[in-house]
Amino acid sequence: MKLAKLSLAAIMVAGLSTSSFAADSLADAFAKGKVEGAIQGYYWTRDNGSDDADIFTSGLDLSYETAKFYGFAFKATFQGTSSPWADKEGKDMFRGDEYGSGAVLSEAYLSYTMKNTKVMVGRMYLDTPLVASSSSRVTKEAFQGVAIINTDLPNTTLIAGYVNKFQSRTNGDGKIGQFERLDDDKSDAYTIAVINKSITGLTLTAAYLDHVDNAQVGYLEAAYAGKASNFTYGLAGQYYYSELEDEDDTNLFGVKATFGIGNFSFLAAYTKTDDANYVYSGLGNGADLAFAESPLNSDGYTPDTQSYKVGASYAFFKNANLGVSYTLNDDDSANQKRAYTAVEADYAFEGPLKGLSAAITYEDASKDVDGSEMWLNLNYKF
């Protein structure tokens, strides 16, 4: 169950509208600081059709943010991970996403808020349409740069950003990811985005990314959500423009429909890419907005590919959900059809265990691909 993007904008809008988190002196700003964090335990198994392995990775995410002092604040976030029982097969299989032990200071930024504008400078998590940190693994991705968020226009959020370094999940060689220049070529990237909700139920998004000397990306999305009696419904359309340096541009079109009745929800989605090149969806693994993607492994960004997804979910309680989905990537460029059947379940504990959540996802590949994957994730947030 992929979470909606744009959470940076939502968080910033909430932050711009409150002044309760403030201090009268510099010492007071630190004394009134806020500590948050998470303890994680992830057990994963993976079968890629030729090899299989499993791994357990534990993680600690600890952050501290000062209160505002004359509009200024500082936040730092530390991440640490360990895979204490990983064998050779597990290390080899998961070296790109889960096997990366060590520690990194992922956030260390100074922010300044004035009326409806907030500026952040330093290392930070970003979740904008085309520059986004993925949090699907124990180690969350981060960027170094500048972000500006403004909400002066009614029902409109404006975002501008510049990044020059990226912290990946792992370094690919057994260590946690560290901050490095984008693509190791000293390139920079600039992004802008506009999110408008002037019409009730309708969210319009436009975004642009210039990854200098590498790629340019444009993104448009219109999403409408409504409710009638016990029914909820939604319809959305999306468009990607992607141009890699010295290569032909390529495009992705997508549509999605959702429908809910009572505790049941249903989804149908379709995307299509043209036959020029692979669609570059943005910086960071969180910049993955294509509607017809499976929870774990499908890839609908390949050239000349039509992707289809149908899914259904049921909320047993407000804190317990079960979902199933089927995704098909019909890749004409490779003369290949890749299918993925997934089952997802999550539960958020209450009472004495409030803050603890558990989620399990199982995905099985079929048709012209083989293999399966299972994620069992435990998170405790405090």
Side-chain angles (χ1 to χ4, degrees):
M1 302 173 186
K2 292 187 176 179
L3 298 178
K5 311 300 179 187
L6 312 182
S7 64
L8 172 68
I11 292 171
M12 291 304 104
V13 170
L16 296 177
S17 63
T18 180
S19 59
S20 60
F21 187 47
D24 297 323
S25 67
L26 186 59
D28 201 27
F30 282 91
K32 289 185 176 180
K34 180 172 59 175
V35 176
E36 294 180 325
I39 298 172
Q40 305 140 304
Y42 289 9
Y43 174 72
W44 291 12
T45 67
R46 182 178 295 166
D47 179 353
N48 63 14
S50 57
D51 298 299
D52 63 88
D54 64 349
I55 195 169
F56 172 79
T57 301
S58 60
L60 171 66
D61 188 310
L62 188 63
S63 69
Y64 170 78
E65 183 176 11
T66 69
K68 292 178 184 176
F69 179 63
Y70 289 102
F72 287 95
F74 176 78
K75 184 177 181 182
T77 300
F78 162 91
Q79 290 191 95
T81 65
S82 175
S83 301
W85 303 291
D87 55 19
K88 183 180 183 303
E89 291 77 11
K91 293 176 181 179
D92 290 341
M93 181 74 76
F94 296 97
R95 67 174 58 250
D97 53 5
E98 279 296 277
Y99 179 61
S101 298
V104 60
L105 185 63
S106 295
E107 288 194 301
Y109 68 84
L110 182 69
S111 66
Y112 177 69
T113 303
M114 181 176 66
K115 295 184 179 179
N116 296 322
T117 300
K118 183 165 186 174
V119 180
M120 300 183 297
V121 181
R123 297 179 175 185
M124 66 194 82
Y125 298 143
L126 288 175
D127 204 0
T128 73
L130 298 178
V131 181
S133 309
S134 171
S135 58
S136 60
R137 273 64 171 175
V138 166
T139 301
K140 186 173 182 177
E141 298 169 339
F143 294 89
Q144 176 179 289
V146 180
I148 305 171
I149 301 92
N150 176 271
T151 58
D152 278 324
L153 298 176
N155 303 303
T156 302
T157 300
L158 304 176
I159 303 171
Y162 160 79
V163 295
N164 65 354
K165 288 188 177 183
F166 174 65
Q167 174 237 300
S168 61
R169 298 156 172 162
T170 77
N171 70 350
D173 196 29
K175 301 296 184 182
I176 196 169
Q178 301 293 326
F179 282 87
E180 298 179 355
R181 292 301 299 263
L182 299 180
D183 296 328
D184 297 323
D185 62 3
K186 301 186 185 305
S187 64
D188 301 333
Y190 303 85
T191 188
I192 56 174
V194 181
I195 305 162
N196 180 269
K197 298 183 179 182
S198 296
I199 300 175
T200 302
L202 180 65
T203 300
L204 301 174
T205 301
Y208 172 76
L209 167 68
D210 182 7
H211 184 182
V212 179
D213 296 329
N214 284 271
Q216 297 182 65
V217 186
Y219 183 74
L220 297 173
E221 180 179 318
Y224 180 79
K227 184 176 182 180
S229 186
N230 198 35
F231 299 91
T232 59
Y233 54 90
L235 184 64
Q238 66 179 177
Y239 168 69
Y240 265 111
Y241 169 85
S242 168
E243 182 179 359
L244 297 176
E245 188 74 12
D246 300 325
E247 296 186 16
D248 293 335
D249 61 85
T250 190
N251 305 275
L252 179 149
F253 300 89
V255 293
K256 177 176 66 175
T258 57
F259 175 75
I261 178 170
N263 292 339
F264 286 96
S265 298
F266 304 92
L267 173 147
Y270 169 81
T271 62
K272 185 182 188 309
T273 62
D274 61 32
D275 59 2
N277 286 297
Y278 192 89
V279 175
Y280 182 75
S281 62
L283 282 173
N285 287 289
D288 176 10
L289 301 177
F291 291 154
E293 292 289 281
S294 73
L296 303 185
N297 291 313
S298 73
D299 187 354
Y301 297 101
T302 52
D304 203 13
T305 297
Q306 298 186 75
S307 298
Y308 309 82
K309 180 178 182 178
V310 292
S313 63
Y314 180 75
F316 291 93
F317 312 103
K318 64 179 182 179
N319 58 330
N321 301 276
L322 175 66
V324 296
S325 64
Y326 177 80
T327 305
L328 174 65
N329 301 138
D330 189 350
D331 185 347
D332 285 342
S333 65
N335 193 27
Q336 184 183 71
K337 291 184 177 181
R338 306 180 295 270
Y340 304 88
T341 303
V343 179
E344 304 171 80
D346 61 78
Y347 182 79
F349 291 83
E350 297 180 319
L353 295 178
K354 185 177 180 180
L356 178 65
S357 64
I360 185 169
T361 303
Y362 175 80
E363 187 170 287
D364 183 67
S366 59
K367 293 192 179 294
D368 294 329
V369 287
D370 191 18
S372 62
E373 189 154 346
M374 187 277 293
W375 296 3
L376 175 58
N377 298 345
L378 295 177
N379 288 277
Y380 176 68
K381 294 184 178 181
F382 56 90

